[in-house]
Every structure is written in structure tokens, then in C-alpha cells.
Amino acid sequence: MPELPEVEVVRRGLQDHVAGRVVSRVEVMHPRAIRRHLPGTVDFGGRIAGRELVAARRRGKYLWVDLSSGEAVLAHLGMSGQMLVQPPGTPDEKHLRVRLTFADDGPELRFVDQRTFGGLSVEPVVTVDGVPLPAPIAHIARDPMDPAFDRTAAIAALRRRRTEVKRALLDQTLVSGIGNIYADEALWHARLHWARPTDALTPRKTGELLDAATAVMNAALDVGGTSFDALYVNINGQSGYFDRSLNAYGQEGLPCPRCGRAIQREPFMNRSSFSCPRCQPRPTTS
């Protein structure tokens, strides 16, 4: 699923190409794409049509567009959701789910989702710590790229979690934006095994891990994010290139760039975790 860098790439594209424009028409091609909008298709379109898309925003891995009504269109990209800007008349994508056309007759905004795990919904906005957020994500913590991110508080929160360090990194209520890919990369940089207990980490080591996660996400953002297939693209349909710079994630059997030992894959929360057995030794149990 898209993580902070990939979602930020999409957010920037939306801000550049649709912010400030007025929606003239909303077409829902597949009801599953708006299943989180419980009032249904007619209400969904009615809340957006005639409104200005004010600004594209993000917290962690969560993306939304503010409406001039004071509500927000919250986008769940899921595993294959794409927000594409296309000239009017461009042939419909095979998995086109929602289309927004604009009063200026300019490029359309299309939500394309092959696997239909993602979706759009119109949500009320609430204020949390002085920041307006769509109500369903009011519990999500700030991410390391947020100007108001409190590094000291995040370190303390991670160490209090009393679980495996990777589980804590993926807990979006502690620190948002980090998913499976960048957690593995950050742990590799910090020389920590994913199963290391958080309460056994010093504040300094926890800070090193957070800094590593921030650095690796910034590096990914610089090259458009990580794309392993055609399902993650920016609003112009272009892929990111950070997969060419990965040190651990997805590198099973390849030599560790630091020591040469083969990267290993281990089961983790119905997914996989990748690490170097030499640089990131598994913690011993007492």
C-alpha cells in the first residue's frame, strides 16, 4: 500500500492540477468505490458537485481534498487506487471508478482502482490540536515531515508501546506515514531487528530509528516514491524509482549492501519483513 512518500507525490499533483477548481459533475462508475460514504451515490455526488476543491492535504498515509463547503473528500488509495488527471475525451481507463469534471472544461480528475480496495468518501472536518482533519482520521498521529512533529514525544510514545519495534513503527497513532517498506529500510539503517522490544531501546537509539525513517522517506520522495508494479503512479501515470535504492525490503537472497550477507525474509503480521541477519541480529530471548 502507498506510504507517506507515494501519497505526498499524489497530493502535490492534486494541489497543482485541481486545487481552486469548481466541480461541475460527479460520475460514480462502481458503487464499491464510495462504499465508505454511507449515504450513497446520489448524496456523494451532491456534496461535491458545485463545490470548489480548495486544497489537497495529507497526514501520514492519508490523503484528502478540502471542499468549499467545509467538508473533505477523503481518499483511501488501498493497494491499487490511482488519482489521475486526464484531458476530457481521453478514453476511460479499464478500472475507472469515479470521474470529476470541472466547470472550466479542463482536465478531469479520475479515481482508478483495479482491486477496489480503495475508495472515496465525503467527511465532516474536526479540529485536533488546532489542525482541521477529516473525522475518520482524527486519531492519526503527526508524521515526521509535519512541521509540528514532536520528535521527543514520538520517541517516548514508541518506547512506551512495549511491543516489537516494527509493530510500533507501523502504529499510525504513534507516528504516521511509515509502512512496511520504509519500516524495513529504517530498521536496516539503524541496525535493528524488527522483533527488538521497544522498551529495550534507549531514547538515543529510538531517535536514530526515527531519523532513519525520515531520511529514507525523504530520499524516496525525491525520486517519486517506490513502484513495484504499474499500480502505484502519480497523477500523470508515472512510476516512482526508489525501488532501485532499497537496501532490505524485497531484497531476499541478495547481498546486504553493508556487509554482503544475504538478506533474509521472515513472516510478519501476514506480510513479510526483510533484514540482514548479520547487521540486524534477532534479539535473544531470556
Short mmCIF file of all heavy atoms in Angstrom, two decimals, residues 40-81:
data_model
loop_
_atom_site.label_atom_id
_atom_site.label_comp_id
_atom_site.label_asym_id
_atom_site.label_seq_id
_atom_site.Cartn_x
_atom_site.Cartn_y
_atom_site.Cartn_z
N GLY A 40 -24.65 7.04 0.23
CA GLY A 40 -24.84 6.54 -1.11
C GLY A 40 -24.40 7.46 -2.23
O GLY A 40 -23.90 8.57 -2.01
N THR A 41 -24.63 6.98 -3.46
CA THR A 41 -24.10 7.62 -4.66
C THR A 41 -24.67 9.02 -4.88
O THR A 41 -23.92 9.97 -5.17
CB THR A 41 -24.41 6.75 -5.89
OG1 THR A 41 -23.80 5.46 -5.71
CG2 THR A 41 -23.87 7.38 -7.16
N VAL A 42 -25.98 9.17 -4.78
CA VAL A 42 -26.60 10.47 -5.04
C VAL A 42 -26.09 11.52 -4.06
O VAL A 42 -25.75 12.65 -4.43
CB VAL A 42 -28.13 10.36 -5.00
CG1 VAL A 42 -28.77 11.74 -5.13
CG2 VAL A 42 -28.64 9.43 -6.11
N ASP A 43 -26.04 11.16 -2.79
CA ASP A 43 -25.56 12.09 -1.77
C ASP A 43 -24.09 12.43 -2.01
O ASP A 43 -23.69 13.59 -1.88
CB ASP A 43 -25.74 11.48 -0.38
CG ASP A 43 -25.35 12.43 0.73
OD1 ASP A 43 -26.19 13.26 1.11
OD2 ASP A 43 -24.19 12.37 1.20
N PHE A 44 -23.29 11.44 -2.37
CA PHE A 44 -21.86 11.67 -2.63
C PHE A 44 -21.68 12.72 -3.72
O PHE A 44 -20.95 13.70 -3.55
CB PHE A 44 -21.19 10.35 -3.04
CG PHE A 44 -19.75 10.48 -3.41
CD1 PHE A 44 -18.77 10.53 -2.44
CD2 PHE A 44 -19.36 10.54 -4.75
CE1 PHE A 44 -17.41 10.64 -2.78
CE2 PHE A 44 -18.03 10.65 -5.10
CZ PHE A 44 -17.05 10.70 -4.12
N GLY A 45 -22.36 12.53 -4.85
CA GLY A 45 -22.24 13.49 -5.94
C GLY A 45 -22.78 14.85 -5.58
O GLY A 45 -22.19 15.88 -5.95
N GLY A 46 -23.88 14.88 -4.82
CA GLY A 46 -24.49 16.15 -4.45
C GLY A 46 -23.63 16.98 -3.52
O GLY A 46 -23.70 18.21 -3.53
N ARG A 47 -22.82 16.32 -2.71
CA ARG A 47 -21.96 17.05 -1.77
C ARG A 47 -20.72 17.64 -2.45
O ARG A 47 -20.08 18.52 -1.90
CB ARG A 47 -21.53 16.14 -0.62
CG ARG A 47 -22.65 15.82 0.36
CD ARG A 47 -22.18 14.84 1.42
NE ARG A 47 -23.25 14.52 2.35
CZ ARG A 47 -23.48 15.17 3.48
NH1 ARG A 47 -22.72 16.18 3.82
NH2 ARG A 47 -24.48 14.81 4.27
N ILE A 48 -20.38 17.13 -3.64
CA ILE A 48 -19.17 17.59 -4.33
C ILE A 48 -19.49 18.52 -5.50
O ILE A 48 -18.81 19.54 -5.71
CB ILE A 48 -18.35 16.39 -4.82
CG1 ILE A 48 -17.94 15.51 -3.63
CG2 ILE A 48 -17.11 16.86 -5.58
CD1 ILE A 48 -17.22 14.24 -4.02
N ALA A 49 -20.51 18.18 -6.29
CA ALA A 49 -20.84 18.99 -7.47
C ALA A 49 -21.18 20.43 -7.07
O ALA A 49 -21.92 20.66 -6.10
CB ALA A 49 -22.01 18.37 -8.21
N GLY A 50 -20.61 21.38 -7.77
CA GLY A 50 -20.82 22.79 -7.48
C GLY A 50 -19.88 23.35 -6.43
O GLY A 50 -19.88 24.56 -6.18
N ARG A 51 -19.04 22.50 -5.86
CA ARG A 51 -18.11 22.95 -4.84
C ARG A 51 -16.71 23.16 -5.42
O ARG A 51 -16.31 22.50 -6.39
CB ARG A 51 -17.99 21.90 -3.72
CG ARG A 51 -19.32 21.50 -3.10
CD ARG A 51 -19.97 22.63 -2.36
NE ARG A 51 -21.15 22.16 -1.64
CZ ARG A 51 -21.98 22.95 -0.95
NH1 ARG A 51 -21.74 24.24 -0.90
NH2 ARG A 51 -23.02 22.45 -0.33
N GLU A 52 -15.96 24.03 -4.80
CA GLU A 52 -14.56 24.22 -5.17
C GLU A 52 -13.70 23.23 -4.39
O GLU A 52 -13.93 23.00 -3.20
CB GLU A 52 -14.12 25.64 -4.85
CG GLU A 52 -12.65 25.92 -5.15
CD GLU A 52 -12.20 27.30 -4.69
OE1 GLU A 52 -13.08 28.15 -4.42
OE2 GLU A 52 -10.98 27.52 -4.57
N LEU A 53 -12.72 22.64 -5.07
CA LEU A 53 -11.71 21.84 -4.39
C LEU A 53 -10.65 22.81 -3.89
O LEU A 53 -9.85 23.33 -4.66
CB LEU A 53 -11.11 20.81 -5.34
CG LEU A 53 -12.08 19.82 -5.99
CD1 LEU A 53 -11.31 18.79 -6.82
CD2 LEU A 53 -12.95 19.12 -4.96
N VAL A 54 -10.66 23.08 -2.61
CA VAL A 54 -9.87 24.18 -2.05
C VAL A 54 -8.38 23.85 -1.98
O VAL A 54 -7.53 24.64 -2.41
CB VAL A 54 -10.40 24.57 -0.66
CG1 VAL A 54 -9.55 25.68 -0.05
CG2 VAL A 54 -11.87 24.99 -0.76
N ALA A 55 -8.05 22.70 -1.41
CA ALA A 55 -6.64 22.35 -1.22
C ALA A 55 -6.52 20.85 -1.02
O ALA A 55 -7.41 20.21 -0.45
CB ALA A 55 -6.04 23.09 -0.04
N ALA A 56 -5.40 20.28 -1.47
CA ALA A 56 -5.10 18.86 -1.24
C ALA A 56 -4.21 18.76 -0.02
O ALA A 56 -3.20 19.46 0.08
CB ALA A 56 -4.42 18.26 -2.47
N ARG A 57 -4.56 17.87 0.91
CA ARG A 57 -3.83 17.76 2.17
C ARG A 57 -3.51 16.31 2.48
O ARG A 57 -4.09 15.38 1.91
CB ARG A 57 -4.63 18.40 3.30
CG ARG A 57 -5.01 19.86 3.03
CD ARG A 57 -5.52 20.56 4.26
NE ARG A 57 -6.07 21.86 3.95
CZ ARG A 57 -5.34 22.96 3.78
NH1 ARG A 57 -4.02 22.91 3.89
NH2 ARG A 57 -5.92 24.12 3.51
N ARG A 58 -2.61 16.12 3.44
CA ARG A 58 -2.18 14.78 3.82
C ARG A 58 -1.77 14.77 5.28
O ARG A 58 -1.24 15.73 5.78
CB ARG A 58 -0.97 14.36 2.96
CG ARG A 58 -0.36 13.02 3.33
CD ARG A 58 0.98 12.80 2.64
NE ARG A 58 1.97 13.83 2.98
CZ ARG A 58 2.63 13.91 4.13
NH1 ARG A 58 2.39 13.03 5.09
NH2 ARG A 58 3.49 14.87 4.34
N ARG A 59 -2.06 13.67 5.94
CA ARG A 59 -1.45 13.37 7.24
C ARG A 59 -0.98 11.92 7.17
O ARG A 59 -1.79 11.01 6.99
CB ARG A 59 -2.40 13.57 8.40
CG ARG A 59 -1.81 13.04 9.72
CD ARG A 59 -2.45 13.60 10.95
NE ARG A 59 -2.06 14.99 11.19
CZ ARG A 59 -2.23 15.61 12.35
NH1 ARG A 59 -2.75 14.98 13.38
NH2 ARG A 59 -1.88 16.88 12.49
N GLY A 60 0.32 11.73 7.31
CA GLY A 60 0.86 10.38 7.19
C GLY A 60 0.53 9.81 5.82
O GLY A 60 0.83 10.40 4.78
N LYS A 61 -0.15 8.66 5.81
CA LYS A 61 -0.51 7.99 4.57
C LYS A 61 -1.92 8.35 4.10
O LYS A 61 -2.42 7.77 3.14
CB LYS A 61 -0.43 6.47 4.76
CG LYS A 61 0.96 5.98 5.13
CD LYS A 61 1.03 4.47 5.18
CE LYS A 61 0.36 3.90 6.39
NZ LYS A 61 0.53 2.42 6.48
N TYR A 62 -2.56 9.31 4.76
CA TYR A 62 -3.96 9.64 4.48
C TYR A 62 -4.05 10.93 3.67
O TYR A 62 -3.40 11.93 3.99
CB TYR A 62 -4.74 9.75 5.79
CG TYR A 62 -4.79 8.43 6.53
CD1 TYR A 62 -3.76 8.06 7.40
CD2 TYR A 62 -5.83 7.53 6.32
CE1 TYR A 62 -3.79 6.84 8.05
CE2 TYR A 62 -5.86 6.31 6.97
CZ TYR A 62 -4.84 5.97 7.83
OH TYR A 62 -4.86 4.75 8.48
N LEU A 63 -4.89 10.91 2.65
CA LEU A 63 -4.99 11.98 1.67
C LEU A 63 -6.42 12.49 1.61
O LEU A 63 -7.37 11.69 1.63
CB LEU A 63 -4.58 11.43 0.30
CG LEU A 63 -4.71 12.33 -0.93
CD1 LEU A 63 -3.66 13.44 -0.89
CD2 LEU A 63 -4.54 11.49 -2.19
N TRP A 64 -6.58 13.80 1.52
CA TRP A 64 -7.92 14.36 1.33
C TRP A 64 -7.84 15.69 0.61
O TRP A 64 -6.78 16.31 0.50
CB TRP A 64 -8.65 14.50 2.66
CG TRP A 64 -8.18 15.58 3.58
CD1 TRP A 64 -8.65 16.85 3.67
CD2 TRP A 64 -7.13 15.47 4.57
NE1 TRP A 64 -7.98 17.55 4.65
CE2 TRP A 64 -7.05 16.73 5.21
CE3 TRP A 64 -6.28 14.44 4.96
CZ2 TRP A 64 -6.13 16.96 6.23
CZ3 TRP A 64 -5.37 14.68 5.97
CH2 TRP A 64 -5.30 15.92 6.59
N VAL A 65 -9.01 16.12 0.10
CA VAL A 65 -9.14 17.42 -0.55
C VAL A 65 -10.23 18.20 0.17
O VAL A 65 -11.35 17.71 0.33
CB VAL A 65 -9.49 17.27 -2.05
CG1 VAL A 65 -9.64 18.64 -2.70
CG2 VAL A 65 -8.43 16.45 -2.78
N ASP A 66 -9.90 19.39 0.62
CA ASP A 66 -10.88 20.25 1.27
C ASP A 66 -11.88 20.78 0.25
O ASP A 66 -11.51 21.19 -0.86
CB ASP A 66 -10.19 21.44 1.95
CG ASP A 66 -9.38 21.04 3.16
OD1 ASP A 66 -9.72 20.02 3.79
OD2 ASP A 66 -8.41 21.75 3.48
N LEU A 67 -13.15 20.79 0.64
CA LEU A 67 -14.21 21.36 -0.19
C LEU A 67 -14.60 22.74 0.33
O LEU A 67 -14.46 23.03 1.53
CB LEU A 67 -15.45 20.46 -0.17
CG LEU A 67 -15.30 19.06 -0.78
CD1 LEU A 67 -16.56 18.24 -0.50
CD2 LEU A 67 -15.05 19.17 -2.28
N SER A 68 -15.11 23.58 -0.55
CA SER A 68 -15.54 24.92 -0.15
C SER A 68 -16.72 24.87 0.81
O SER A 68 -17.02 25.86 1.48
CB SER A 68 -15.90 25.75 -1.38
OG SER A 68 -16.88 25.11 -2.17
N SER A 69 -17.38 23.72 0.93
CA SER A 69 -18.49 23.56 1.87
C SER A 69 -18.02 23.40 3.31
O SER A 69 -18.83 23.45 4.23
CB SER A 69 -19.31 22.33 1.48
OG SER A 69 -18.52 21.16 1.58
N GLY A 70 -16.71 23.19 3.49
CA GLY A 70 -16.19 22.92 4.83
C GLY A 70 -16.00 21.44 5.10
O GLY A 70 -15.45 21.07 6.15
N GLU A 71 -16.48 20.59 4.18
CA GLU A 71 -16.25 19.16 4.31
C GLU A 71 -14.97 18.78 3.56
O GLU A 71 -14.27 19.64 3.04
CB GLU A 71 -17.46 18.39 3.75
CG GLU A 71 -18.73 18.63 4.54
CD GLU A 71 -19.93 17.90 3.97
OE1 GLU A 71 -20.26 18.14 2.78
OE2 GLU A 71 -20.53 17.10 4.71
N ALA A 72 -14.68 17.47 3.51
CA ALA A 72 -13.47 17.00 2.84
C ALA A 72 -13.76 15.71 2.09
O ALA A 72 -14.55 14.88 2.55
CB ALA A 72 -12.35 16.76 3.84
N VAL A 73 -13.13 15.55 0.93
CA VAL A 73 -13.18 14.28 0.20
C VAL A 73 -11.96 13.47 0.64
O VAL A 73 -10.82 13.82 0.31
CB VAL A 73 -13.16 14.49 -1.32
CG1 VAL A 73 -13.25 13.14 -2.04
CG2 VAL A 73 -14.30 15.39 -1.76
N LEU A 74 -12.20 12.42 1.41
CA LEU A 74 -11.13 11.57 1.92
C LEU A 74 -10.88 10.45 0.93
O LEU A 74 -11.83 9.76 0.51
CB LEU A 74 -11.53 11.01 3.28
CG LEU A 74 -10.52 10.13 4.02
CD1 LEU A 74 -9.24 10.89 4.32
CD2 LEU A 74 -11.14 9.58 5.31
N ALA A 75 -9.63 10.26 0.54
CA ALA A 75 -9.27 9.24 -0.44
C ALA A 75 -8.52 8.10 0.24
O ALA A 75 -7.49 8.33 0.88
CB ALA A 75 -8.41 9.84 -1.55
N HIS A 76 -9.04 6.89 0.10
CA HIS A 76 -8.35 5.69 0.54
C HIS A 76 -7.79 5.04 -0.73
O HIS A 76 -8.56 4.51 -1.54
CB HIS A 76 -9.31 4.73 1.23
CG HIS A 76 -9.91 5.27 2.49
ND1 HIS A 76 -9.41 4.99 3.74
CD2 HIS A 76 -10.97 6.08 2.69
CE1 HIS A 76 -10.14 5.60 4.66
NE2 HIS A 76 -11.09 6.27 4.04
N LEU A 77 -6.49 5.07 -0.91
CA LEU A 77 -5.90 4.53 -2.14
C LEU A 77 -5.82 3.01 -2.12
O LEU A 77 -5.74 2.38 -3.18
CB LEU A 77 -4.52 5.13 -2.37
CG LEU A 77 -4.49 6.65 -2.58
CD1 LEU A 77 -3.07 7.13 -2.80
CD2 LEU A 77 -5.39 7.07 -3.73
N GLY A 78 -5.85 2.40 -0.94
CA GLY A 78 -5.79 0.95 -0.87
C GLY A 78 -4.53 0.41 -1.53
O GLY A 78 -3.47 1.02 -1.48
N MET A 79 -4.65 -0.74 -2.19
CA MET A 79 -3.50 -1.36 -2.82
C MET A 79 -3.28 -0.91 -4.25
O MET A 79 -2.19 -1.06 -4.80
CB MET A 79 -3.64 -2.89 -2.78
CG MET A 79 -3.64 -3.48 -1.39
SD MET A 79 -3.78 -5.27 -1.40
CE MET A 79 -2.22 -5.74 -2.12
N SER A 80 -4.33 -0.39 -4.89
CA SER A 80 -4.21 -0.09 -6.31
C SER A 80 -4.89 1.20 -6.74
O SER A 80 -5.01 1.47 -7.93
CB SER A 80 -4.78 -1.25 -7.14
OG SER A 80 -6.16 -1.45 -6.85
N GLY A 81 -5.34 2.02 -5.76
CA GLY A 81 -6.04 3.24 -6.11
C GLY A 81 -5.13 4.28 -6.75
O GLY A 81 -4.01 4.50 -6.29
#
